[in-house]
Amino acid sequence: MIQGRIQNFLVIGFVALFFVYLFGPLIVMGLTAFNTSGFPRVSPWECFTVEWFDVLMEDTRLVTGVRNSLLIGIGVVILAVPIGLAGALMLMQIGPRLRPWLYTVTIAPILVPGVVLGISTLLFWDRIGLMFGAGEDTIFYDGIFLTIVGQATFISAYAMLIFIARLQRFDPALEEAALDLGASHTQTFRKILLPFLRPAIGSAAVLAFLASFENYNTTIFTIVSSSTLTTVLASKVRYGIDPSISALAVSIVFLTLVGAVLYEISKRRETRRARAQMAVARGEATEVKKQRPFLTEPAFILFVLIVVAGLGTVYFSGTVGVEECKIIVKEQRQAEIKRKVERRQQQQMFQSAVDAQSESSSDQEETQEDSKVTAKGTEGYQSVFSPGNLQGEVETEAEEEEPVKGTEGYLNVFSPGNLVNPSSDEPDEEKPVKGTEGYQNVFAPENLTDQVPAENSGN
Amino acid sequence: MSADVKLESVWIRFGDFIAARDVNLHIKGGEFFTILGPSGCGKTTLLRAVSGFLTPSEGSVLIGGENMAGIGPNRRPTALIFQNLALFPLMTIWENITFSLEVNGVRKAQRKKRADELLELIALPGQGEKMVSELSGGQKQRVAIARALCAQPEVLLLDEPLSALDLKLRQHMRTELRSIQQQVGITFIYITHDQGEALTMSDHVAVMREGIIEQVSDGTTIYDEPDTAFVASFVGENNRFAGKVANVTDGIAQVSTPEGSIRARCSKNPDSNVKTGDDVYVFVRPESLRFVSGNSIDNQMKASVYHEEFEGNMWQVFLDISSTRKRVKMSYVNDGSIRSQSGEKDLPVGFSSDAAIVLPQGPLAAE
């Protein structure tokens, strides 16, 4: 009993862990697309926004890349699916002695590294181009054409495998029956085999498109001077990313989900229909009810409503009040920095007060007490101006995480030169806390921008 | 609208394997002709040669007097009903039935009209819009027949179409097939390994063994006058006694067997004649064996009852011949005259010489 419970617990734990492993990164990435933070991250959460989708749409390199990827994907589908179909048909008809050889030849491109395929495609068409004396602006050097051809070499093999799987379930008697009833070979192919293969054609097309869309190692060679989504992303990662990439990923995941749900709905319709037909065949029902059109299917309507409502909610909450939220976040951050600075300052003052006291033996005991009590007060500042403090070493702001150590270095902010700086540089700044005026330059805009990577690397 | 089919010296070889050896058949127009044989005897191969899916290695196929060499299955006046029916699963019933019209470019309205007529013929009116998967086994069967008939063939070829059905339905479909054949009046060539189907439906039956046609005749002749030991052992049940011919007089052979001397009639077919000294088999049907009293019958022997089966209308009795322990089977109608004989020893059993046939030894059907 207890053992069983432990076992259950372990199984559930394992499954949970598995799903976290599987979907954790995806969820984190999805969230980063909606955070205003300039670097894709979830924590600290700033404001919910959809602005990265705008940024994405304005990124012309990325948009061109996506467009090229789509073009290439469609091209690969058009090229690879018929080749795969032809290969599969050939394999099913050829004699058993030749079949393993042909199979090996057609499957080989899957086993060859994509890099090799890319380079060989590039070289091959370059030779062909040279043979015809074609220039650099002809099709032989066109990245999109080369990529379609290069990817199709191995994607058609994928398509072929799908077709073979389907064809193995084809009853050749159906073809013979059609021929026997007077159909020509073309009619038999068109009316019998093709309808049977339709689901496989769909799967092969989807698979070919996805394989093409995500391909990198062949594409990077064959794309020449153009770019696809994958090559743009790769170069972006190299030069620093922003959440618009997450936004792109979210869009792709969303579209995939929509496709999957629609597919599932239509599949369930099919199953329902098949079950009804079985019932009729067994004599349990008299007829199969006519199914309503797909567009009025309750599940479909519900799904569309959910999608529309979800998109609307996300758009609304991601656009309204974002600017206000940003200002608040900015203020909070400034306040945070201010607090840190203040704390450091106080510690520093306390330190110098102690120093001063130990230096002047003439001071009364009650002052010592006072300085302890008023450590947070401004009175302690007096001692900052003691000549001894000026001798402190200079420290950089980056080390503000360790406030105690080396705080004396801040004293030089009171050097006369600093007073020349007009405090009107920062108009949106609120009245600083009394006694901190000297620290104005801490809030200079440059500091704020520095803050992001510095903090990040600190974490 | 019915054509005769002639196979002239047809040989079909697959590498070293010979599926048909020198087959000569003449199937008359409008008859129900059955090719009967155990599985693997080459009967389906023969049918495929007639329908055009297969070219004979030698010899020729003539349909309606016309040589079919070089004419594809889609241009022959035949229609084939497949063993698994091969209905098109992605089409409705009426589309299935009128497929032959569709490929010839007949308009939809006309096709629907024809489909309705045929659905009437196969007693499935108003079911045209259903899918194939919505039909039961027997209904599918009839749709397959309608689809073949829609092509208006002169010869309908049926490749064990009833084998997938259960017994009850099979018996029902036998009569139905026969009546459809008589209605449309075209030549049916029917392939089966089920002798019951062959004998009940056919005008003529050809018995086939390993690519050879052993005998062509009507059902009763096949049963009563088998030409070869194979036909005798394959069609119906037979008790077999092996022996040597002692002498032959007036069509009655005296055969010496371990069970004693047996008198049996010779085959009427001159090819199956026997002469003194030949190794032969004597075949006796279980229903020809009976309990005897006195010397009323030519062949008598003593036997003990080994096992009895009561089938209601029939008794099936398994006997051991006393002299050699040879097992024989006897069946008789339960008319109330004989009760259970269980455990009886050394009963006199016998059969008349007219009911036993003597044939040259040769290959037998697998038990």
Side-chain angles (χ1 to χ4, degrees):
Chain A
M1 175 77 179
I2 287 176
Q3 205 175 1
R5 203 174 290 169
I6 291 174
Q7 210 169 348
N8 270 355
F9 182 75
L10 284 178
V11 168
I12 291 170
F14 175 77
V15 170
L17 211 63
F18 178 73
F19 278 100
V20 166
Y21 170 73
L22 211 60
F23 295 115
L26 215 59
I27 291 168
V28 169
M29 183 205 64
L31 290 176
T32 61
F34 298 100
N35 193 353
T36 45
S37 167
F39 184 80
R41 61 177 165 189
V42 176
S43 164
W45 185 262
E46 292 178 8
C47 300
F48 187 85
T49 180
V50 291
E51 68 187 12
W52 297 116
F53 291 86
D54 292 335
V55 173
L56 174 69
M57 294 317 290
E58 280 153 20
D59 188 334
T60 47
R61 271 186 71 212
L62 210 54
V63 170
T64 316
V66 171
R67 206 206 59 209
N68 284 347
S69 280
L70 290 175
L71 265 178
I72 291 167
I74 292 167
V76 167
V77 167
I78 292 173
L79 192 60
V81 171
I83 292 177
L85 179 57
L89 289 175
M90 180 87 176
L91 268 180
M92 298 308 282
Q93 314 236 321
I94 208 167
R97 215 171 318 150
L98 265 174
R99 194 175 296 148
W101 293 100
L102 185 65
Y103 185 78
T104 312
V105 168
T106 45
I107 278 307
I110 294 182
L111 306 174
V112 173
V115 177
V116 175
L117 287 180
I119 297 173
S120 55
T121 305
L122 201 59
L123 290 178
F124 176 76
W125 289 99
D126 173 57
R127 295 295 113 170
I128 301 273
L130 279 180
M131 221 163 72
F132 288 103
E136 301 268 316
D137 52 345
T138 56
I139 195 165
F140 303 105
Y141 300 95
D142 179 59
I144 292 183
F145 168 75
L146 289 179
T147 307
I148 290 175
V149 173
Q151 290 183 348
T153 53
F154 68 95
I155 291 177
S156 58
Y158 290 151
M160 190 187 75
L161 289 178
I162 293 178
F163 286 126
I164 287 177
R166 181 78 180 162
L167 279 174
Q168 276 168 347
R169 282 165 46 206
F170 181 69
D171 178 6
L174 292 181
E175 246 177 347
E176 292 187 344
L179 281 177
D180 190 61
L181 292 167
S184 65
H185 281 91
T186 328
Q187 282 174 323
T188 306
F189 179 75
R190 204 158 45 82
K191 289 179 190 289
I192 307 296
L193 193 59
L194 220 50
F196 175 80
L197 286 175
R198 193 168 292 143
I201 292 173
S203 316
V206 170
L207 185 96
F209 183 82
L210 291 181
S212 158
F213 200 75
E214 55 117 53
N215 182 271
Y216 178 73
N217 45 12
T218 302
T219 312
I220 192 71
F221 291 100
T222 53
I223 197 66
V224 199
S225 57
S226 333
S227 60
T228 68
L229 176 64
T230 48
T231 60
V232 172
L233 283 183
S235 66
K236 258 187 183 292
V237 170
R238 214 168 293 149
Y239 297 116
I241 50 174
D242 65 35
S244 64
I245 287 180
S246 302
L248 177 68
V250 167
S251 313
I252 292 173
V253 169
F254 174 75
L255 289 178
T256 314
L257 276 180
V258 168
V261 171
L262 290 182
Y263 176 75
E264 187 62 29
I265 291 175
S266 74
K267 210 173 111 187
R268 290 195 179 190
R269 270 165 68 90
E270 283 297 308
T271 327
R272 261 205 315 274
R273 188 173 168 76
R275 215 177 297 139
Q277 284 175 350
M278 285 298 291
V280 170
R282 280 199 304 265
E284 290 162 13
T286 46
E287 60 175 323
V288 177
K289 257 190 247 159
K290 204 115 189 111
Q291 274 184 321
R292 54 177 98 222
F294 188 77
L295 288 182
T296 60
E297 182 80 23
F300 175 74
I301 293 170
L302 183 71
F303 178 66
V304 168
L305 286 180
I306 290 174
V307 166
V308 169
L311 283 180
T313 313
V314 167
Y315 180 76
F316 184 77
S317 54
T319 44
V320 177
V322 173
E323 289 310 311
E324 291 83 335
C325 170
K326 272 186 183 167
I327 290 167
I328 292 168
V329 167
K330 198 173 176 186
E331 281 167 2
Q332 276 172 350
R333 195 192 288 162
Q334 285 169 354
E336 172 79 11
I337 293 166
K338 245 180 265 176
R339 255 200 316 283
K340 279 182 184 167
V341 169
E342 239 173 86
R343 203 165 61 227
R344 184 178 303 162
Q345 214 173 351
Q346 283 161 3
Q347 278 159 345
Q348 192 182 324
M349 279 187 301
F350 176 72
Q351 192 67 38
S352 36
V354 171
D355 288 352
Q357 267 178 352
S358 57
E359 263 172 38
S360 59
S361 53
S362 60
D363 276 350
Q364 285 155 7
E365 282 178 15
E366 46 182 274
T367 21
Q368 204 177 348
E369 248 175 53
D370 263 357
S371 69
K372 262 182 193 166
V373 174
T374 60
K376 283 172 190 163
T378 45
E379 294 93 329
Y381 277 93
Q382 293 145 338
S383 52
V384 196
F385 299 104
S386 70
N389 289 338
L390 289 169
Q391 292 157 3
E393 323 126 50
V394 179
E395 282 280 334
T396 61
E397 270 216 12
E399 285 169 31
E400 66 180 3
E401 305 285 303
E402 302 137 296
V404 184
K405 188 181 153 201
T407 41
E408 300 94 325
Y410 280 98
L411 300 177
N412 59 353
V413 290
F414 295 103
S415 66
N418 288 340
L419 293 171
V420 187
N421 280 345
S423 58
S424 55
D425 287 37
E426 297 133 74
D428 59 335
E429 195 133 317
E430 287 194 3
K431 197 85 186 136
V433 180
K434 194 184 162 201
T436 55
E437 294 97 324
Y439 284 93
Q440 283 147 340
N441 55 348
V442 181
F443 302 108
E446 312 93 74
N447 291 341
L448 278 176
T449 49
D450 276 344
Q451 195 73 11
V452 175
E455 235 177 65
N456 187 54
S457 61
N459 292 340
Chain B
M1 276 310 283
S2 69
D4 64 333
V5 178
K6 256 189 194 152
L7 300 179
E8 289 177 346
S9 324
V10 170
W11 287 75
I12 299 170
R13 296 191 190 87
F14 299 106
D16 291 338
F17 179 74
I18 300 176
R21 291 166 196 266
D22 195 21
V23 171
N24 286 286
L25 280 179
H26 184 200
I27 299 156
K28 290 192 209 70
E31 80 171 333
F32 197 120
F33 189 91
T34 299
I35 300 175
L36 174 67
S39 24
C41 72
K43 52 193 191 305
T44 299
T45 311
L46 218 52
L47 199 69
R48 291 173 68 81
V50 175
S51 59
F53 290 114
L54 207 141
T55 312
S57 315
E58 273 175 48
S60 47
V61 176
L62 291 95
I63 298 175
E66 198 180 331
N67 194 329
M68 287 289 130
I71 296 180
N74 46 359
R75 281 162 46 231
R76 292 194 183 192
T78 58
L80 177 60
I81 294 179
F82 289 79
Q83 192 162 2
N84 64 357
L85 305 182
L87 293 176
F88 306 128
L90 300 175
M91 298 182 191
T92 61
I93 300 305
W94 80 265
E95 283 171 332
N96 258 288
I97 290 176
T98 56
F99 184 80
S100 53
L101 302 179
E102 189 191 339
V103 295
N104 283 325
V106 176
R107 282 171 194 286
K108 189 174 170 181
Q110 215 170 329
R111 277 189 282 142
K112 276 203 127 147
K113 196 165 149 272
R114 180 82 182 118
D116 287 340
E117 288 169 18
L118 282 161
L119 283 167
E120 203 75 47
L121 175 78
I122 58 169
L124 283 176
Q127 311 259 22
E129 291 298 334
K130 281 188 176 177
M131 296 301 286
V132 174
S133 54
E134 288 173 57
L135 296 187
S136 67
Q139 291 173 328
K140 282 182 192 165
Q141 188 68 63
R142 284 180 271 171
V143 170
I145 293 166
R147 184 179 70 175
L149 291 177
C150 186
Q152 296 197 307
E154 290 172 41
V155 180
L156 189 67
L157 310 169
L158 303 99
D159 185 2
E160 305 207 24
L162 305 186
S163 58
L165 304 181
D166 57 56
L167 183 70
K168 201 94 181 171
L169 206 51
R170 202 152 60 215
Q171 285 168 345
H172 173 71
M173 285 307 293
R174 277 182 200 169
T175 38
E176 199 142 332
L177 264 182
R178 186 72 174 138
S179 76
I180 288 175
Q181 195 258 339
Q182 276 156 357
Q183 268 181 66
V184 295
I186 60 174
T187 315
F188 272 42
I189 302 180
Y190 190 93
I191 294 275
T192 185
H193 64 268
D194 181 325
Q195 39 179 304
E197 279 174 21
L199 297 177
T200 47
M201 292 191 286
S202 327
D203 295 318
H204 283 99
V205 178
V207 181
M208 200 171 174
R209 173 188 64 87
E210 289 176 11
I212 299 165
I213 301 287
E214 293 261 322
Q215 187 173 4
V216 183
S217 196
D218 58 86
T220 48
T221 312
I222 291 279
Y223 191 83
D224 292 336
E225 305 285 342
D227 280 351
T228 65
F230 177 81
V231 176
S233 59
F234 183 70
V235 181
E237 284 181 287
N238 250 326
N239 295 304
R240 189 178 75 242
F241 299 92
K244 235 179 181 54
V245 178
N247 62 70
V248 185
T249 42
D250 295 338
I252 300 288
Q254 190 80 32
V255 182
S256 51
T257 69
E259 285 77 28
S261 182
I262 295 175
R263 284 169 56 79
R265 70 191 160 89
C266 295
S267 168
K268 286 173 188 148
N269 187 332
D271 290 346
S272 307
N273 262 342
V274 294
K275 55 186 189 302
T276 309
D278 280 358
D279 288 323
V280 292
Y281 288 127
V282 176
F283 290 97
V284 186
R285 296 274 176 204
E287 61 267 24
S288 303
L289 260 181
R290 62 195 57 162
F291 296 112
V292 290
S293 51
N295 283 342
S296 58
I297 216 159
D298 339 15
N299 301 302
Q300 285 197 18
M301 42 192 81
K302 292 250 186 320
S304 308
V305 176
Y306 166 75
H307 175 65
E308 277 185 327
E309 284 170 4
F310 177 60
E311 288 179 352
N313 62 333
M314 298 287 284
W315 282 97
Q316 309 289 353
V317 186
F318 295 87
L319 302 161
D320 286 339
I321 305 286
S322 301
S323 55
T324 57
R325 320 296 306 161
K326 186 181 171 63
R327 180 77 40 85
V328 293
K329 186 181 175 187
M330 173 161 94
S331 47
Y332 54 88
V333 176
N334 176 28
D335 57 2
S337 60
I338 311 170
R339 288 281 143 219
S340 171
Q341 307 280 328
S342 183
E344 298 280 344
K345 299 247 183 271
D346 295 332
L347 292 168
V349 297
F351 51 92
S352 79
S353 54
D354 283 346
I357 187 160
V358 58
L359 291 167
Q361 287 196 2
L364 299 166
E367 293 291 322

